[in-house]
Each structure stands twice: as C-alpha cells, then as structure tokens.
Amino acid sequence: HFVETGDPIRRRKVFHGWEKEKKKNQAKQTKELEKRLRAEEERRKRTHTMLLIGPGQSGKSTVFKQLTILHGRGFSEGKRRHFRKLIYANIVGAIKNLLYHARKAYKREDESLPNFNVDQLGAMHEILEFCRNSDQKKQAEGEKVMGYIRSLNELNGLTERYRSYLLEAATDEDKLKLALQTKKEIKAMNLRCARFREKEVPGLVDEFFKSFGVNEKTDEAAIVVGDATFPNVDMNKQLRQAVRTVWKDHAIRNIFHRRQRFKMNQLDDSSVYMLQHLDRILDDKEEYIPTLKDIVHCRKRTIGIVEGEFEIKGQIFRIVDVAGQRGSRSRWIPLFATANACLFVCSLAGYNRYLLEDSDKLRIYEALELFDDIVNQPALRRVPIILFLNKVDLFEKEIKTTSLQHAFPQYSGAPDSLEESIAFLRHRFQKTVKDPNRQVFIHTTCATDTDQVEKILDSVTKIVVQKQLAAANLI
C-alpha cells in the first residue's frame, strides 16, 4: 500500500502509522519479555535443588515415588498398569533367587550357611531356629539344642576364667588352686558337650540340610519359572501356577527365613512385600491393577539421573535422584555446585545385609563411609545435610533375632531395643562430621509409609527454605 500510493503526504502518513504500530508492538513484546523474566526470576528464587543420594538399595527411589504421589501428578490408573510388568519381574526374580539358594543349601554349598567346623556356636543357633520352626518333635529337640548352647557359652566363660587365673597364679597361690579347679570343670563340661556333639548333632545337621530339598512338583514348576524372561515377564496362567507352587513349598519357606544371611544373589527387601501379597497380585479371577502401595514397594534399579519438580507450599523443589551403586557415584560431583540441600538415605537394615559389589562388607559400613565423604565435602560445606535412617520397620523386626552387635561388637545396649539401637547408629553417623559447627538433621523413616513421609518431608522443606533465606541474609 505504501509503495502503490503516489501522494507524498499520504505516503508519509502511512509510513509514520506503520512506524508507530511497530514501536507499539515492540513495547508490548518488551513488556511481555520483562514479565516472563520477572516470573522466571521469581520462580528461580522459589526453586530449591535437593540431591537425593545414598548407597544402593537404601530407599532413595521410594522417597522419589512418595514425592510423586504427595506433590506430583501421582499415578493414574493407566500409569499404574505400566508397573505390572515390573512387579511381575520382581516376583519371578525373587522366586528364582529362592530356588537358587535352596538348591545350593541342600547340596551344602550355599555361602550363607554356617560352617559347623569353624563356628560351632553360630551353627547351633541356626539348628535351634530350624527346630523351633518345625513340628512338635523337632521343637522338643530344640530344648536339647538350647541346653547344648548354654553349655558351650558356659564352657567359653570357664575358659576365659581359667586364662585369667593362670595369669595371676605366678604371684597368688590361691589363684593357682582356682585355675586347677576350673580346669577340672572345663574337662567335665567338654565331656558332656562331646557326648551331645557325637550322638545328636550329626543327625540334626543332616535334617537341617535336608529341609532345603524341594519336592517333585516344585522341581517341575521351577522349569517354567526358569524359562520366564526379563524384563517383560508374560505372567500367563502356567507361570502363575508355577510361581504359587514354588512359593508354597516348605523348603522355599525355610530358605526365605534365612534371606538376611545371603551374601551373593541377595533377595531385595521389596520382594518380601510382593511375596506376601502373591495371592492378590496373581489372582486369576480379576485383572490386576497395581495399588499405590504396590508401586511404592516395587523395585527398579536407578540407572543414571532421575529428576522431578514438585511444588510444596508455594516452593518448588527440584529433586535429583542419582544411582547409588559404586560405579555411578562419579556422576554426583558435578551436581554439588548447584545443590541447595542434600538428602542422604541410609538403610538401617543394612547392619544385616551385605553389599552387592562386595559380599564380605556390610551395607551399613558402606553407608557410614559414604556419608563421611558427603558431609565433609568442601563443595557442600554450606549446604544443609538431612539424613534419613530408613527402613526402620525392617530394622525393628530384625533386631529381635539379630542384635546390632552382629555389625558393631562394641554396641552395649539391650539387644532388642529399637530406641537404644537407633541412638547408637545416630551417634555413629554424627561422629563422622569433622566440623563441630556443622548441623546434620537426622530423621528415622519408613519410606513406604506415605503418611510418615509426608510429615517428615514437610519438616525437611522448612529446613531447606529457612537455610536458603538465611544464606541470602533475608532472615
């Protein structure tokens, strides 16, 4: 239009109108850009980056899933259906694991079995547990085993007393007499123990190992289970029945009760939940749709880095979940520079579990060493550290049968006291902090308990926000 008109006055009007419109549009765009930048800056101020780190199988991914349920988009029915294959894979993996250990135990080759020649006392405790979980006849024999264990403990006490008397006998004649008397008692006790060891123990040991022998039906079902392929397990009718058959076998239940002692090919903690809910998950009558609790309990190893943003009480939390296995930890270092908080997750049940990467090292020791590295990391010296002592539900059950002394001989509290055991571990983690002014916020958690996690996360988010405001001199 500007080119076609021949009137110079009109041409100037058109040109100035176009120029005015152009400036108006530019002003509008500038205003919108400034608005977006202000919004982004406001969002940036409300955004807090939290690293979710810890050793493998500590429960980090479970915490991430709980955040998705509580403050994310949750899991719709469609999304929940996608977890079916993973849950089926968890179940089949657990059944294969138990079959492997049962067969090895029956052949007396499983690495988790007691060495009857080296640790006789520990071995007899295994026999006692076996008797108590058997029929009435075996339970009666268990009383004899308990008497033998008391005799072994008494023998150890007499031996220590004899050594003590001998050390003092050179300067004290009375101690020499006591040493000779104690020696006679040791001889008599050894004879009693030897009779029981020769007459009763071999038969009990044979029955103990035979208890891991599966029946013929289980052998047939094991072939079907063995043919199932990962990760896309086709849970057809034949496989469902095979899984049920294996799980009902008494030998499989026996080896399941020993799962904490596995050093190689360990059974995931999440598998216990899946096996306990097997009838519901593998129900033939209706389609299985995973519940939120099923999703929280199912296990999938984290590979690489998983991120998510969650808005909690007007604040945005960018959660970065990083794989915890040894080979993945090099990826943590670049994330330290942008972190506003570090949430370290440790499994309390790790006092009774061995590392996948090192079958001779307990997980709790790996967690302590890793926490030491993190809490004293120069790049994180101004970053609040929150420690989750997780899986307290499993820990409470296990200390009733296996004391914390299994991992820490120096523990002097009551063997089955939850409060004293946790206090000891809190102190051990706190001791790793080299800076006396460094504050670590410690919470005892059960990451599969949504209500508890919600309350603790509320406390954690307050800590993070307050620390960041204090760092910016705003409070």
Side-chain angles (χ1 to χ4, degrees):
H1 181 72
F2 171 70
V3 174
E4 289 176 356
T5 182
D7 185 351
I9 296 172
R10 191 176 174 191
R11 284 173 66 183
R12 280 198 296 273
K13 283 182 179 179
V14 170
F15 174 78
H16 288 301
W18 172 80
E19 190 71 18
K20 189 177 178 182
E21 190 66 28
K22 181 182 173 184
K23 287 179 180 178
K24 188 179 177 182
N25 287 336
Q26 286 177 338
K28 186 179 178 182
Q29 288 173 0
T30 303
K31 194 174 180 180
E32 287 176 356
L33 180 60
E34 288 174 350
K35 188 179 177 182
R36 280 202 304 272
L37 289 171
R38 281 196 301 272
E40 285 176 13
E41 178 63 18
E42 188 63 32
R43 181 183 172 84
R44 188 190 65 77
K45 287 178 181 177
R46 291 188 299 117
T47 300
H48 315 274
T49 300
M50 189 186 294
L51 299 184
L52 192 57
I53 59 179
Q57 299 193 35
S58 57
K60 301 183 302 298
S61 297
T62 306
V63 173
F64 193 90
K65 281 186 274 190
Q66 292 283 27
L67 278 163
T68 304
I69 292 167
L70 292 166
H71 302 290
R73 295 181 179 178
F75 296 98
S76 64
E77 186 176 309
K79 285 183 180 178
R80 282 189 282 137
R81 287 174 187 272
H82 286 304
F83 279 89
R84 271 189 302 202
K85 294 281 186 184
L86 178 60
I87 290 168
Y88 291 153
N90 282 183
I91 290 169
V92 171
I95 292 294
K96 284 185 178 183
N97 181 294
L98 293 172
L99 281 165
Y100 166 83
H101 282 288
R103 285 165 175 163
K104 295 281 278 186
Y106 183 69
K107 295 176 184 177
R108 308 189 183 198
E109 296 173 355
D110 197 72
E111 85 291 331
S112 68
L113 291 168
N115 189 324
F116 286 83
N117 297 319
V118 177
D119 180 15
Q120 192 179 152
L121 190 59
M124 292 317 296
H125 275 289
E126 285 257 6
I127 295 290
L128 177 63
E129 190 178 336
F130 160 67
C131 290
R132 285 175 172 173
N133 290 325
S134 301
D135 55 30
Q136 286 186 339
K137 185 182 177 182
K138 278 285 171 292
Q139 287 173 12
E141 289 180 2
E143 294 303 314
K144 294 180 184 177
V145 174
M146 191 67 228
Y148 179 58
I149 289 172
R150 288 195 194 100
S151 296
L152 288 174
N153 284 324
E154 193 177 335
L155 185 60
N156 288 338
L158 286 169
T159 305
E160 287 296 318
R161 203 183 311 160
Y162 175 66
R163 288 172 182 163
S164 177
Y165 290 153
L166 279 181
L167 289 171
E168 298 176 49
T171 56
D172 188 337
E173 193 175 337
D174 290 337
K175 296 295 184 193
L176 179 61
K177 290 177 182 177
L178 287 170
L180 293 172
Q181 178 60 36
T182 306
K183 190 177 180 180
K184 289 179 183 177
E185 291 177 29
I186 290 172
K187 187 176 179 181
M189 184 66 72
N190 265 325
L191 285 171
R192 273 207 310 273
C193 289
R195 281 196 293 270
F196 185 85
R197 190 162 53 245
E198 289 166 12
K199 283 182 67 179
E200 306 285 347
V201 171
L204 287 168
V205 170
D206 283 342
E207 289 186 51
F208 172 72
F209 285 113
K210 284 177 182 176
S211 72
F212 301 115
V214 299
N215 58 44
E216 286 183 18
K217 282 187 177 180
T218 301
D219 270 331
E220 292 170 6
I223 297 169
V224 178
V225 173
D227 289 339
T229 55
F230 295 107
N232 296 316
V233 174
D234 178 20
M235 190 59 77
N236 54 46
K237 191 173 181 179
Q238 186 185 22
L239 182 56
R240 285 170 194 262
Q241 188 54 48
V243 168
R244 290 194 199 100
T245 300
V246 174
W247 178 235
K248 286 176 183 175
D249 192 299
H250 193 64
I252 295 298
R253 296 299 178 102
N254 284 341
I255 203 71
F256 175 75
H257 289 308
R258 303 190 72 261
R259 62 190 180 279
Q260 287 92 356
R261 296 181 176 91
F262 297 166
K263 289 187 175 182
M264 307 289 288
N265 297 308
Q266 297 169 33
L267 191 70
D268 291 333
D269 293 330
S270 58
S271 301
V272 178
Y273 171 88
M274 297 302 168
L275 292 171
Q276 287 171 343
H277 290 80
L278 203 64
D279 291 337
R280 173 176 60 82
I281 294 170
L282 301 186
D283 189 356
D284 292 322
K285 294 176 182 177
E286 56 183 68
E287 182 189 14
Y288 168 60
I289 300 172
T291 64
L292 289 177
K293 205 165 186 180
D294 295 344
I295 291 169
V296 166
H297 279 87
C298 75
R299 160 85 178 151
K300 184 181 181 183
R301 181 177 169 178
T302 303
I303 299 171
I305 298 171
V306 179
E307 293 186 36
E309 282 195 356
F310 306 95
E311 187 163 344
I312 306 171
K313 294 186 176 179
Q315 300 294 314
I316 298 163
F317 288 85
R318 177 173 164 260
I319 309 297
V320 184
D321 178 13
V322 193
Q325 283 72 25
R326 284 180 174 179
S328 304
R329 292 173 192 166
S330 58
R331 296 171 183 166
W332 296 4
I333 298 168
L335 301 169
F336 293 162
T338 57
N340 301 119
C342 180
L343 182 55
F344 189 97
V345 185
C346 158
S347 169
L348 286 170
Y351 89 101
N352 201 21
R353 305 276 193 288
Y354 292 89
L355 282 172
L356 290 173
E357 302 94 334
D358 183 353
S359 60
D360 291 321
K361 187 174 184 179
L362 287 165
R363 293 183 194 177
I364 195 70
Y365 282 111
E366 179 83 350
L368 280 163
E369 289 172 14
L370 189 55
F371 184 75
D372 188 342
D373 288 342
I374 293 297
V375 79
N376 298 305
Q377 179 69 234
L380 295 172
R381 67 183 182 277
R382 297 186 185 279
V383 173
I385 304 288
I386 299 107
L387 172 62
F388 273 17
L389 296 176
N390 193 32
K391 302 191 181 182
V392 67
D393 53 331
L394 297 178
F395 184 65
E396 186 175 11
K397 289 175 185 175
E398 289 180 25
I399 58 170
K400 289 175 182 175
T401 54
T402 307
S403 167
L404 194 58
Q405 287 180 337
H406 169 68
F408 301 97
Q410 63 273 42
Y411 171 70
S412 57
D416 59 350
S417 171
L418 179 65
E419 292 75 17
E420 290 181 47
S421 298
I422 289 175
F424 176 86
L425 288 172
R426 285 173 70 104
H427 177 67
R428 285 299 298 250
F429 276 96
Q430 196 71 54
K431 266 177 65 177
T432 63
V433 184
K434 294 182 174 64
D435 182 355
N437 298 316
R438 175 75 143 154
Q439 189 177 8
V440 176
F441 303 91
I442 305 176
H443 294 274
T444 306
T445 63
C446 170
T448 54
D449 184 337
T450 305
D451 292 336
Q452 189 203 49
V453 170
E454 184 174 21
K455 290 174 186 174
I456 292 171
L457 284 174
D458 184 54
S459 172
V460 167
T461 52
K462 284 178 183 175
I463 291 166
V464 175
V465 172
Q466 286 175 355
K467 288 284 181 181
Q468 199 161 343
L469 288 172
N473 294 319
L474 295 174
I475 59 170

PDB file of all heavy atoms in Angstrom, residues 234-253:
ATOM      1  N   ASP A 234       5.852 -62.385  30.876  1.00  0.00           N
ATOM      2  CA  ASP A 234       4.484 -62.709  30.470  1.00  0.00           C
ATOM      3  C   ASP A 234       3.871 -63.602  31.546  1.00  0.00           C
ATOM      4  O   ASP A 234       4.116 -64.805  31.586  1.00  0.00           O
ATOM      5  CB  ASP A 234       4.511 -63.433  29.114  1.00  0.00           C
ATOM      6  CG  ASP A 234       3.113 -63.849  28.659  1.00  0.00           C
ATOM      7  OD1 ASP A 234       2.123 -63.259  29.164  1.00  0.00           O
ATOM      8  OD2 ASP A 234       3.006 -64.771  27.823  1.00  0.00           O
ATOM      9  N   MET A 235       3.111 -62.987  32.438  1.00  0.00           N
ATOM     10  CA  MET A 235       2.531 -63.726  33.565  1.00  0.00           C
ATOM     11  C   MET A 235       1.273 -64.465  33.112  1.00  0.00           C
ATOM     12  O   MET A 235       0.141 -64.110  33.455  1.00  0.00           O
ATOM     13  CB  MET A 235       2.236 -62.768  34.726  1.00  0.00           C
ATOM     14  CG  MET A 235       1.864 -63.475  36.033  1.00  0.00           C
ATOM     15  SD  MET A 235       3.112 -64.612  36.662  1.00  0.00           S
ATOM     16  CE  MET A 235       4.316 -63.493  37.361  1.00  0.00           C
ATOM     17  N   ASN A 236       1.473 -65.530  32.327  1.00  0.00           N
ATOM     18  CA  ASN A 236       0.339 -66.331  31.860  1.00  0.00           C
ATOM     19  C   ASN A 236      -0.103 -67.305  32.954  1.00  0.00           C
ATOM     20  O   ASN A 236       0.503 -67.378  34.033  1.00  0.00           O
ATOM     21  CB  ASN A 236       0.721 -67.089  30.579  1.00  0.00           C
ATOM     22  CG  ASN A 236       1.989 -67.913  30.763  1.00  0.00           C
ATOM     23  OD1 ASN A 236       2.145 -68.617  31.756  1.00  0.00           O
ATOM     24  ND2 ASN A 236       2.909 -67.803  29.812  1.00  0.00           N
ATOM     25  N   LYS A 237      -1.167 -68.061  32.654  1.00  0.00           N
ATOM     26  CA  LYS A 237      -1.760 -68.954  33.653  1.00  0.00           C
ATOM     27  C   LYS A 237      -0.752 -69.998  34.144  1.00  0.00           C
ATOM     28  O   LYS A 237      -0.680 -70.311  35.331  1.00  0.00           O
ATOM     29  CB  LYS A 237      -2.993 -69.633  33.060  1.00  0.00           C
ATOM     30  CG  LYS A 237      -3.826 -70.377  34.096  1.00  0.00           C
ATOM     31  CD  LYS A 237      -5.118 -70.895  33.480  1.00  0.00           C
ATOM     32  CE  LYS A 237      -5.959 -71.613  34.545  1.00  0.00           C
ATOM     33  NZ  LYS A 237      -7.234 -72.118  33.980  1.00  0.00           N
ATOM     34  N   GLN A 238       0.029 -70.543  33.224  1.00  0.00           N
ATOM     35  CA  GLN A 238       1.007 -71.585  33.577  1.00  0.00           C
ATOM     36  C   GLN A 238       2.081 -71.032  34.532  1.00  0.00           C
ATOM     37  O   GLN A 238       2.441 -71.680  35.520  1.00  0.00           O
ATOM     38  CB  GLN A 238       1.673 -72.122  32.307  1.00  0.00           C
ATOM     39  CG  GLN A 238       2.599 -73.306  32.579  1.00  0.00           C
ATOM     40  CD  GLN A 238       3.358 -73.753  31.329  1.00  0.00           C
ATOM     41  OE1 GLN A 238       3.519 -72.978  30.379  1.00  0.00           O
ATOM     42  NE2 GLN A 238       3.832 -74.990  31.326  1.00  0.00           N
ATOM     43  N   LEU A 239       2.562 -69.817  34.233  1.00  0.00           N
ATOM     44  CA  LEU A 239       3.590 -69.212  35.068  1.00  0.00           C
ATOM     45  C   LEU A 239       3.023 -68.835  36.442  1.00  0.00           C
ATOM     46  O   LEU A 239       3.701 -69.011  37.468  1.00  0.00           O
ATOM     47  CB  LEU A 239       4.177 -67.977  34.374  1.00  0.00           C
ATOM     48  CG  LEU A 239       5.313 -67.249  35.116  1.00  0.00           C
ATOM     49  CD1 LEU A 239       6.460 -68.207  35.429  1.00  0.00           C
ATOM     50  CD2 LEU A 239       5.817 -66.071  34.289  1.00  0.00           C
ATOM     51  N   ARG A 240       1.781 -68.354  36.471  1.00  0.00           N
ATOM     52  CA  ARG A 240       1.139 -68.024  37.754  1.00  0.00           C
ATOM     53  C   ARG A 240       1.104 -69.251  38.664  1.00  0.00           C
ATOM     54  O   ARG A 240       1.447 -69.187  39.841  1.00  0.00           O
ATOM     55  CB  ARG A 240      -0.299 -67.548  37.526  1.00  0.00           C
ATOM     56  CG  ARG A 240      -0.430 -66.146  36.970  1.00  0.00           C
ATOM     57  CD  ARG A 240      -1.877 -65.902  36.556  1.00  0.00           C
ATOM     58  NE  ARG A 240      -1.988 -64.718  35.719  1.00  0.00           N
ATOM     59  CZ  ARG A 240      -2.339 -63.521  36.152  1.00  0.00           C
ATOM     60  NH1 ARG A 240      -2.644 -63.366  37.426  1.00  0.00           N
ATOM     61  NH2 ARG A 240      -2.411 -62.493  35.341  1.00  0.00           N
ATOM     62  N   GLN A 241       0.660 -70.368  38.097  1.00  0.00           N
ATOM     63  CA  GLN A 241       0.540 -71.600  38.875  1.00  0.00           C
ATOM     64  C   GLN A 241       1.913 -72.085  39.333  1.00  0.00           C
ATOM     65  O   GLN A 241       2.082 -72.548  40.477  1.00  0.00           O
ATOM     66  CB  GLN A 241      -0.153 -72.689  38.051  1.00  0.00           C
ATOM     67  CG  GLN A 241      -0.506 -73.949  38.831  1.00  0.00           C
ATOM     68  CD  GLN A 241      -1.332 -73.658  40.083  1.00  0.00           C
ATOM     69  OE1 GLN A 241      -2.312 -72.920  40.046  1.00  0.00           O
ATOM     70  NE2 GLN A 241      -0.914 -74.219  41.212  1.00  0.00           N
ATOM     71  N   ALA A 242       2.909 -71.955  38.466  1.00  0.00           N
ATOM     72  CA  ALA A 242       4.270 -72.393  38.805  1.00  0.00           C
ATOM     73  C   ALA A 242       4.833 -71.567  39.963  1.00  0.00           C
ATOM     74  O   ALA A 242       5.438 -72.115  40.897  1.00  0.00           O
ATOM     75  CB  ALA A 242       5.174 -72.273  37.579  1.00  0.00           C
ATOM     76  N   VAL A 243       4.609 -70.257  39.916  1.00  0.00           N
ATOM     77  CA  VAL A 243       5.086 -69.372  40.991  1.00  0.00           C
ATOM     78  C   VAL A 243       4.421 -69.747  42.313  1.00  0.00           C
ATOM     79  O   VAL A 243       5.089 -69.837  43.359  1.00  0.00           O
ATOM     80  CB  VAL A 243       4.811 -67.885  40.639  1.00  0.00           C
ATOM     81  CG1 VAL A 243       5.014 -66.989  41.849  1.00  0.00           C
ATOM     82  CG2 VAL A 243       5.716 -67.432  39.494  1.00  0.00           C
ATOM     83  N   ARG A 244       3.092 -69.981  42.282  1.00  0.00           N
ATOM     84  CA  ARG A 244       2.373 -70.361  43.506  1.00  0.00           C
ATOM     85  C   ARG A 244       2.915 -71.677  44.069  1.00  0.00           C
ATOM     86  O   ARG A 244       3.079 -71.828  45.289  1.00  0.00           O
ATOM     87  CB  ARG A 244       0.881 -70.500  43.215  1.00  0.00           C
ATOM     88  CG  ARG A 244       0.156 -69.200  42.939  1.00  0.00           C
ATOM     89  CD  ARG A 244      -1.356 -69.426  43.015  1.00  0.00           C
ATOM     90  NE  ARG A 244      -2.084 -68.371  42.350  1.00  0.00           N
ATOM     91  CZ  ARG A 244      -2.589 -68.450  41.122  1.00  0.00           C
ATOM     92  NH1 ARG A 244      -2.448 -69.565  40.417  1.00  0.00           N
ATOM     93  NH2 ARG A 244      -3.253 -67.443  40.584  1.00  0.00           N
ATOM     94  N   THR A 245       3.147 -72.650  43.191  1.00  0.00           N
ATOM     95  CA  THR A 245       3.639 -73.968  43.613  1.00  0.00           C
ATOM     96  C   THR A 245       4.984 -73.852  44.316  1.00  0.00           C
ATOM     97  O   THR A 245       5.192 -74.444  45.384  1.00  0.00           O
ATOM     98  CB  THR A 245       3.763 -74.909  42.390  1.00  0.00           C
ATOM     99  OG1 THR A 245       2.484 -75.056  41.779  1.00  0.00           O
ATOM    100  CG2 THR A 245       4.289 -76.280  42.804  1.00  0.00           C
ATOM    101  N   VAL A 246       5.896 -73.092  43.731  1.00  0.00           N
ATOM    102  CA  VAL A 246       7.229 -72.920  44.325  1.00  0.00           C
ATOM    103  C   VAL A 246       7.114 -72.232  45.683  1.00  0.00           C
ATOM    104  O   VAL A 246       7.720 -72.660  46.666  1.00  0.00           O
ATOM    105  CB  VAL A 246       8.153 -72.118  43.383  1.00  0.00           C
ATOM    106  CG1 VAL A 246       9.487 -71.819  44.071  1.00  0.00           C
ATOM    107  CG2 VAL A 246       8.401 -72.873  42.084  1.00  0.00           C
ATOM    108  N   TRP A 247       6.298 -71.184  45.753  1.00  0.00           N
ATOM    109  CA  TRP A 247       6.198 -70.393  46.981  1.00  0.00           C
ATOM    110  C   TRP A 247       5.584 -71.205  48.122  1.00  0.00           C
ATOM    111  O   TRP A 247       5.914 -70.977  49.295  1.00  0.00           O
ATOM    112  CB  TRP A 247       5.390 -69.135  46.715  1.00  0.00           C
ATOM    113  CG  TRP A 247       5.168 -68.250  47.909  1.00  0.00           C
ATOM    114  CD1 TRP A 247       3.977 -67.813  48.404  1.00  0.00           C
ATOM    115  CD2 TRP A 247       6.171 -67.690  48.768  1.00  0.00           C
ATOM    116  NE1 TRP A 247       4.170 -67.016  49.516  1.00  0.00           N
ATOM    117  CE2 TRP A 247       5.513 -66.924  49.763  1.00  0.00           C
ATOM    118  CE3 TRP A 247       7.562 -67.763  48.803  1.00  0.00           C
ATOM    119  CZ2 TRP A 247       6.195 -66.245  50.762  1.00  0.00           C
ATOM    120  CZ3 TRP A 247       8.246 -67.083  49.813  1.00  0.00           C
ATOM    121  CH2 TRP A 247       7.559 -66.329  50.764  1.00  0.00           C
ATOM    122  N   LYS A 248       4.720 -72.171  47.818  1.00  0.00           N
ATOM    123  CA  LYS A 248       4.083 -72.981  48.861  1.00  0.00           C
ATOM    124  C   LYS A 248       5.003 -74.069  49.422  1.00  0.00           C
ATOM    125  O   LYS A 248       4.723 -74.637  50.477  1.00  0.00           O
ATOM    126  CB  LYS A 248       2.806 -73.628  48.314  1.00  0.00           C
ATOM    127  CG  LYS A 248       1.654 -72.640  48.157  1.00  0.00           C
ATOM    128  CD  LYS A 248       0.455 -73.321  47.512  1.00  0.00           C
ATOM    129  CE  LYS A 248      -0.677 -72.322  47.288  1.00  0.00           C
ATOM    130  NZ  LYS A 248      -1.810 -72.935  46.551  1.00  0.00           N
ATOM    131  N   ASP A 249       6.081 -74.377  48.703  1.00  0.00           N
ATOM    132  CA  ASP A 249       6.986 -75.449  49.126  1.00  0.00           C
ATOM    133  C   ASP A 249       7.649 -75.092  50.461  1.00  0.00           C
ATOM    134  O   ASP A 249       8.173 -73.986  50.633  1.00  0.00           O
ATOM    135  CB  ASP A 249       8.061 -75.681  48.057  1.00  0.00           C
ATOM    136  CG  ASP A 249       8.838 -76.966  48.290  1.00  0.00           C
ATOM    137  OD1 ASP A 249       9.480 -77.085  49.344  1.00  0.00           O
ATOM    138  OD2 ASP A 249       8.809 -77.845  47.406  1.00  0.00           O
ATOM    139  N   HIS A 250       7.642 -76.052  51.385  1.00  0.00           N
ATOM    140  CA  HIS A 250       8.191 -75.810  52.727  1.00  0.00           C
ATOM    141  C   HIS A 250       9.685 -75.482  52.669  1.00  0.00           C
ATOM    142  O   HIS A 250      10.186 -74.658  53.454  1.00  0.00           O
ATOM    143  CB  HIS A 250       7.952 -77.037  53.619  1.00  0.00           C
ATOM    144  CG  HIS A 250       8.201 -76.784  55.075  1.00  0.00           C
ATOM    145  ND1 HIS A 250       7.450 -75.886  55.818  1.00  0.00           N
ATOM    146  CD2 HIS A 250       9.145 -77.285  55.924  1.00  0.00           C
ATOM    147  CE1 HIS A 250       7.905 -75.853  57.064  1.00  0.00           C
ATOM    148  NE2 HIS A 250       8.931 -76.685  57.157  1.00  0.00           N
ATOM    149  N   ALA A 251      10.413 -76.110  51.746  1.00  0.00           N
ATOM    150  CA  ALA A 251      11.850 -75.854  51.615  1.00  0.00           C
ATOM    151  C   ALA A 251      12.119 -74.405  51.204  1.00  0.00           C
ATOM    152  O   ALA A 251      13.071 -73.780  51.678  1.00  0.00           O
ATOM    153  CB  ALA A 251      12.457 -76.811  50.586  1.00  0.00           C
ATOM    154  N   ILE A 252      11.252 -73.877  50.330  1.00  0.00           N
ATOM    155  CA  ILE A 252      11.399 -72.483  49.880  1.00  0.00           C
ATOM    156  C   ILE A 252      11.109 -71.538  51.043  1.00  0.00           C
ATOM    157  O   ILE A 252      11.806 -70.525  51.220  1.00  0.00           O
ATOM    158  CB  ILE A 252      10.462 -72.196  48.684  1.00  0.00           C
ATOM    159  CG1 ILE A 252      10.878 -73.041  47.467  1.00  0.00           C
ATOM    160  CG2 ILE A 252      10.448 -70.715  48.331  1.00  0.00           C
ATOM    161  CD1 ILE A 252      12.279 -72.763  46.949  1.00  0.00           C
ATOM    162  N   ARG A 253      10.118 -71.857  51.861  1.00  0.00           N
ATOM    163  CA  ARG A 253       9.828 -71.031  53.043  1.00  0.00           C
ATOM    164  C   ARG A 253      11.012 -71.066  54.029  1.00  0.00           C
ATOM    165  O   ARG A 253      11.328 -70.061  54.657  1.00  0.00           O
ATOM    166  CB  ARG A 253       8.551 -71.506  53.728  1.00  0.00           C
ATOM    167  CG  ARG A 253       7.294 -71.362  52.892  1.00  0.00           C
ATOM    168  CD  ARG A 253       7.027 -69.919  52.522  1.00  0.00           C
ATOM    169  NE  ARG A 253       5.845 -69.773  51.688  1.00  0.00           N
ATOM    170  CZ  ARG A 253       4.665 -69.347  52.141  1.00  0.00           C
ATOM    171  NH1 ARG A 253       4.510 -69.007  53.394  1.00  0.00           N
ATOM    172  NH2 ARG A 253       3.641 -69.241  51.310  1.00  0.00           N
TER     173      ARG A 253
END
